[in-house]
């Protein structure tokens, strides 16, 4: 949006993205995991703040302007996990970007907010987390040194469903391939998920295709049957598929017995598959496939070819093949662009900007 409002180079856009990313991650260190467990959806609450920081950077605002942008964004920040499994959940993402941009534009034009909106007795920390449930000292020190996008790195979602189920999907797909597993020779699947994740993914009877995105039982059934989890598994009515429902009855989801209390244990998963012949196959993963950047110590990075494949699949849902190719090729050389309107023009030509 900012790139269509004013001249912005690809490099400037990347720098602004990093500013937003690092701001969001820094604040997250101070408020999670209490913030998450309390019921806030950080993509929405913290994402609004990250979007405001990114927009403020693109607008060239100085320290006071950035502070005002964040102060404004705090009062626009919201999103509850209670709405997972409905249209409101993805709305959170668009809302956070819209509100972050609006906050920065208002700050640029002289709109006011209090500079102590974070630490005020009735400010962000106290209202969103509550007394003794946040650590301000974890936010400022070490900001962008190293960059959070480098370490611990960015996780790119591999499947079009809740990220909390991705480790389980990866583990089951691994076992499926290595042991030639399928609905005909699997008697039972037991999935142990971090309790923090299981709270919103234990959905043995999803009521809609959006609800199914948050059902670990449903996505594991699809993984076992198809060897993949794709968009079509969340089309209208897909959650009622008889064969998938039959497999779901053989899947049990329980809290992980030793999940760990830090972010390192957030995605811990153990899958145990019992075959009809009584053989047991198990696998434990600490994180989902998709950790970036390529070259980390983690062996679970998502290759660049897989990132492009995901982009193409998503873009094809709205764009013609030639537009998908043009847009993907242009984004891949983003840092060399003198004007990101070379990207937005492709989308505009496809009629997606109205």
């Amino acid at each position: 949006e900012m790139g269509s409002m004013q001249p912005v180079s690809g490099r400037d856009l990347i720098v602004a993205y990093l500013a937003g990313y690092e701001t969001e991650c820094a604040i997250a260190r101070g408020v999670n995991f209490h913030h998450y467990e309390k019921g806030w959806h950080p993509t929405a609450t913290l994402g609004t703040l990250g979007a405001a920081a990114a927009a403020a950077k693109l607008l060239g605002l100085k320290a006071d302007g950035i502070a005002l942008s964040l102060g404004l964004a705090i009062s626009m920040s919201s999103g509850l996990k209670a709405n997972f499994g409905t249209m409101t959940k993805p709305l959170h993402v668009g809302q956070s970007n819209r509100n972050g941009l609006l906050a920065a534009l208002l700050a640029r034009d002289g709109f006011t907010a209090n500079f102590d909106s974070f630490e005020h007795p009735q400010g962000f920390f106290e209202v969103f987390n509550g007394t003794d449930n946040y650590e301000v000292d974890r936010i400022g020190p070490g900001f962008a040194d190293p960059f959070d996008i480098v370490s611990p790195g960015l996780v790119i979602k591999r499947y079009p469903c809740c990220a909390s189920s991705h480790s389980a999907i990866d583990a089951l797909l691994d076992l499926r391939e290595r042991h030639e597993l399928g609905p005909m020779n699997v008697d039972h699947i037991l999935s142990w998920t971090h309790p923090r994740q299981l709270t919103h993914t234990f959905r043995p009877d999803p009521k809609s295709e959006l609800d199914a995105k948050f059902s670990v039982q449903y996505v594991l059934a699809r993984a076992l049957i198809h060897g993949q989890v794709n968009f079509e598994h969340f089309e209208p009515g897909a959650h009622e598929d008889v064969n998938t429902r039959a497999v779901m009855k053989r899947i049990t989801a329980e809290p992980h017995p030793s999940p760990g209390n830090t972010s390192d244990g957030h995605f811990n998963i153990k899958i145990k598959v019992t075959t009809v012949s009584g053989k047991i196959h198990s696998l434990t993963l600490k994180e989902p496939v998709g950790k970036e950047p390529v070259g980390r110590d983690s062996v679970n990075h998502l290759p660049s070819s897989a990132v492009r494949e995901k982009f193409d699949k998503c873009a094809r849902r709205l764009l013609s093949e030639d537009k998908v190719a043009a847009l993907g090729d242009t984004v891949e050389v983003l840092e060399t662009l003198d004007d990101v309107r070379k990207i937005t023009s492709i989308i505009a030509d496809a009629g997606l900007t109205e």
Side-chain angles (χ1 to χ4, degrees):
E1 183 67 27
M2 286 291 296
S4 63
M5 294 170 57
Q6 62 183 46
V8 173
S9 72
R11 182 179 178 83
D12 288 342
L13 186 62
I14 292 172
V15 171
Y17 173 81
L18 286 174
Y21 187 100
E22 299 301 318
T23 297
E24 187 172 343
C25 288
I27 297 170
R29 282 195 297 274
V31 300
N32 275 329
F33 280 102
H34 181 82
H35 189 81
Y36 184 86
E37 292 173 338
K38 187 177 177 65
W40 296 113
H41 182 200
T43 300
T45 55
L46 306 184
T48 301
L49 306 179
K57 179 65 176 176
L58 275 181
L59 289 170
L61 302 186
K62 303 303 182 184
D64 281 0
I66 295 171
L68 287 175
S69 298
L70 291 172
L72 278 158
I74 284 172
S75 280
M76 302 178 186
S77 175
S78 188
L80 301 178
K81 287 164 64 180
N83 272 320
F84 280 8
T86 72
M87 293 179 181
T88 300
K89 188 268 182 182
L91 175 66
H92 289 170
V93 182
Q95 177 176 271
S96 64
N97 284 299
R98 178 194 64 192
N99 287 343
L101 173 59
L102 176 60
L105 290 172
L106 288 171
R108 180 198 63 180
D109 293 343
F111 213 87
T112 62
N114 283 324
F115 287 101
D116 64 346
S117 296
F118 280 98
E119 61 270 35
H120 190 280
Q122 293 182 321
F124 183 84
F125 297 132
E126 285 289 334
V127 173
F128 278 68
N129 275 53
T131 304
D132 298 328
N133 291 317
Y134 56 90
E135 299 176 76
V136 176
D137 292 342
R138 297 189 64 198
I139 298 176
F143 180 80
D145 184 21
F147 284 101
D148 280 290
I149 202 169
V150 175
S151 178
L154 173 67
V155 179
I156 297 179
K157 291 181 67 172
R158 195 179 187 186
Y159 313 106
C161 54
C162 180
S164 298
S165 64
H166 285 204
S167 293
I169 296 171
D170 287 332
L172 182 58
L173 289 179
D174 188 315
L175 292 173
R176 183 185 189 274
E177 181 178 359
R178 284 195 281 136
H179 303 290
E180 298 182 343
L181 302 176
M184 300 301 293
N185 63 359
V186 167
D187 179 71
H188 187 258
I189 298 172
L190 179 55
S191 170
W192 286 282
T193 305
H194 196 298
R196 189 182 294 133
Q197 310 273 24
L198 194 61
T199 299
H200 55 271
T201 60
F202 185 84
R203 303 188 185 212
D205 183 24
K207 304 300 184 184
S208 70
E209 62 274 11
L210 292 173
D211 200 24
K213 283 177 172 280
F214 289 85
S215 168
V216 67
Q217 294 93 338
Y218 178 82
V219 297
L220 287 179
R222 287 294 189 178
L224 181 66
I225 295 169
H226 305 284
Q228 55 190 342
V229 180
N230 288 330
F231 282 120
E232 57 264 31
H233 301 148
F234 306 102
E235 297 290 355
H239 66 290
E240 297 176 332
D241 178 71
V242 175
N243 293 331
T244 305
R245 288 283 178 166
V247 173
M248 289 173 65
K249 293 178 181 178
R250 290 181 259 160
I251 299 175
T252 303
E254 296 180 353
H256 199 293
S258 53
N261 295 316
T262 67
S263 58
D264 292 335
H266 191 56
F267 290 102
N268 278 356
I269 183 71
K270 181 176 180 181
I271 294 287
K272 183 175 80 171
V273 179
T274 304
T275 68
V276 294
S277 64
K279 289 184 179 180
I280 295 176
H281 305 290
S282 298
L283 182 62
T284 298
L285 289 181
K286 292 184 178 180
E287 60 189 32
V289 173
K291 273 286 191 179
E292 286 284 358
V294 175
R296 285 186 74 236
D297 291 337
S298 170
V299 298
N300 284 339
H301 60 259
L302 194 62
S304 57
S305 59
V307 176
R308 180 59 186 263
E309 181 183 359
K310 175 183 176 179
F311 170 84
D312 289 348
K313 285 182 178 179
C314 293
R316 283 193 198 106
R317 296 173 69 83
L318 292 172
L319 300 175
S320 62
E321 284 291 340
D322 62 324
K323 296 294 184 185
V324 171
L327 185 58
D329 292 344
T330 307
V331 169
E332 285 189 345
V333 294
L334 176 60
E335 71 277 8
T336 70
L337 301 183
D338 58 352
D339 193 333
V340 297
R341 280 177 288 193
K342 292 179 179 178
I343 292 176
T344 58
S345 64
I346 297 173
I347 301 173
D349 289 344
L352 298 180
T353 57
E354 294 180 1

